[in-house]
Amino acid sequence: MARIYAGWRMNRRSFLASAAVVLGTQMVSRTCPAWAGGRTTEKAHAHYALRIGPCKLEIAPGIVIDTIGYNGQVPGPILRVREGVPVTIDVMNQSGRAEIAHWHGLAIDSVNDGAMEEGLPMIPSGGTLRYHFTPRPAGTRWYHTRATAGADLSAGGYTGQFGFFLVEDRHGQGPYDPQRYDQEVFLAIHHWEPSFVPMVEKMREAFANAPLTSGSDVGYKYATINQHMLGAGEPIRVKRGQRVLMHLLNASGAENVVLGLPGHSFKVIAMDGNPVPNPVTVETLSLAVAERVDAIVERKSPGVWVLGSTLAKSRDMGLGIVVEYAGATGPSAWHDPAPEEWDYSRFGSLAKAPEPDETFTLTFRDIGPMNGSQFDSWTINNQSWSKIDPLRVRQGRRYRMVFRNGSGDQHPMHLHRHTFEVTRVGTKEFSGLRKDVVNVMPLDSVAVDFVADNPGDTLLHCHQALHMDFGFMRLMKYVG
Ligand SMILES: [Cu+2]
């Protein structure tokens, strides 16, 4: 079975180079080399090394991005670990500024989680930090920087510091049954060269080209899937009848996306790495910042197609990748899919979730620019980070958080160190959809339930960098 980062050609030399970096050999590169394939390991490794450093990324002929990546490559190497088997990761910071790496979607302790708000100091430039933890639960997780960018759009989540972190189950499988697919590809989305765009312009543009897919004050010049802009990298090569498991990750700093693939549909089997109760087939996939979708695509329409953004402007920016059937030739084709509303409830179960022991109602508001910033500040119940009271929970109790979006922006809400269950979107109640990020649409409300089962300080925040960095965070503390 092929298991590759789509769009990358793997050869033995580059594979060995990658393996050497992973093992800690000094192979410092200032350019981002062609992706060495996802197979940094065939089985669970006990020890990884990641080097954070500057690199140049040629996303299309003549278009070179200066950024910061892991091990001189973007995306970073796919880390494959096994649930329950301890892993050590040495993170060496050669970026020239303080950094921190976060393991997203894992139920680990506060110190190793990789968030300074939970107590882990930043790694100074020139320093190395050893993380040590036992990964769980199994599923498609990821890792990324948690450095604050603020108004510096060349830092933090705007850089190339992201990669897949796959937690195989205890049998070394998966995270999904390999009988269900013939080929596995990893697709990480990112946007490049951000710049400040006043919100009013974004709104005007959005209304002219529905649906609203961003509420960001940031515009971009380019977008990539893995290392390349649409058409610039190797296509995903498929054969008729193949079932391809796509692991999709929105690793953008501040941009939500909607994707389509003409002539095909996506059977969604997992969200944020957790199998969904109801694997529905859809025409388009919505991925807010930090969300993952694992979907099986059955290859039934021979040709050369674009898997890409449903917005023409975003595809022009590069947001897509070519899918090429064996024997097919010619330019890649795009057709607009029928409009489809992204509805989390379709993937859940109709059974009602148990009542929580306690409910927190959290209202989000935009309070406009503060302290001379060009970017708006954000509040949760009228308080902003860091002057905000923590939520207090007791171990073993079940909690509900009701997110009430009092703004015109979308907010991908992320809870660290826990998996929550989405139990209501708007007026639709459901259960069983386990996630670590949920996107709350403008003026909508969403309820998520979780069991306080992992003591230690825990960060709750919007994953949109411009919101997170301007007040939209709150700590949860275990008490009693
Ligand atoms: Cu937000």
Side-chain angles (χ1 to χ4, degrees), residues 410-411 462 464 467 472:
Q410 300 181 29
H411 301 296
C462 177
Q464 217 273 33
H467 302 173
F472 207 147

Side-chain angles (χ1 to χ4, degrees), residues 417-429:
R417 305 176 56 250
H418 297 72
T419 301
F420 53 66
E421 184 181 349
V422 185
T423 51
R424 181 176 59 76
V425 173
T427 56
K428 288 182 184 167
E429 293 190 351

Side-chain angles (χ1 to χ4, degrees), residues 357-407:
D357 298 311
E358 194 178 335
T359 296
F360 299 115
T361 299
L362 305 174
T363 302
F364 312 143
R365 288 195 203 288
D366 178 346
I367 55 167
M370 303 294 284
N371 307 321
S373 169
Q374 60 190 345
F375 298 112
D376 290 359
S377 280
W378 293 86
T379 57
I380 302 175
N381 293 355
N382 302 316
Q383 291 181 313
S384 286
W385 185 268
S386 57
K387 293 176 182 143
I388 184 166
D389 304 326
L391 296 170
R392 296 181 190 280
V393 297
R394 287 179 195 281
Q395 189 174 358
R397 282 163 67 95
R398 183 179 170 93
Y399 291 88
R400 179 163 296 165
M401 289 193 287
V402 177
F403 300 137
R404 296 175 65 228
N405 186 354
S407 77

Side-chain angles (χ1 to χ4, degrees), residues 154-196:
S154 67
Y158 301 104
T159 70
Q161 292 175 79
F162 57 88
F164 280 95
F165 190 99
L166 251 83
V167 184
E168 296 182 336
D169 69 15
R170 285 164 191 276
H171 311 292
Q173 267 200 357
Y176 311 110
D177 179 3
Q179 304 295 325
R180 294 169 70 180
Y181 55 91
D182 306 299
Q183 192 188 161
E184 185 180 25
V185 296
F186 293 85
L187 302 165
I189 292 156
H190 198 70
H191 292 79
W192 301 100
E193 301 214 346
S195 59
F196 175 70

Side-chain angles (χ1 to χ4, degrees), residues 93-167:
N93 180 12
Q94 297 179 344
S95 69
R97 57 176 92 183
E99 267 299 343
I100 191 165
H102 163 57
W103 322 100
H104 182 124
L106 294 160
I108 56 180
D109 63 281
S110 294
V111 171
N112 283 285
D113 187 43
M116 56 278 187
E117 297 84 355
E118 294 172 350
L120 183 70
M122 299 288 286
I123 311 169
S125 183
T128 298
L129 179 71
R130 171 163 289 187
Y131 292 77
H132 186 74
F133 57 91
T134 302
R136 69 182 172 90
T140 310
R141 316 295 166 205
W142 67 298
Y143 62 103
H144 61 85
T145 175
R146 258 212 54 82
T148 301
D152 179 356
L153 304 182
S154 67
Y158 301 104
T159 70
Q161 292 175 79
F162 57 88
F164 280 95
F165 190 99
L166 251 83
V167 184

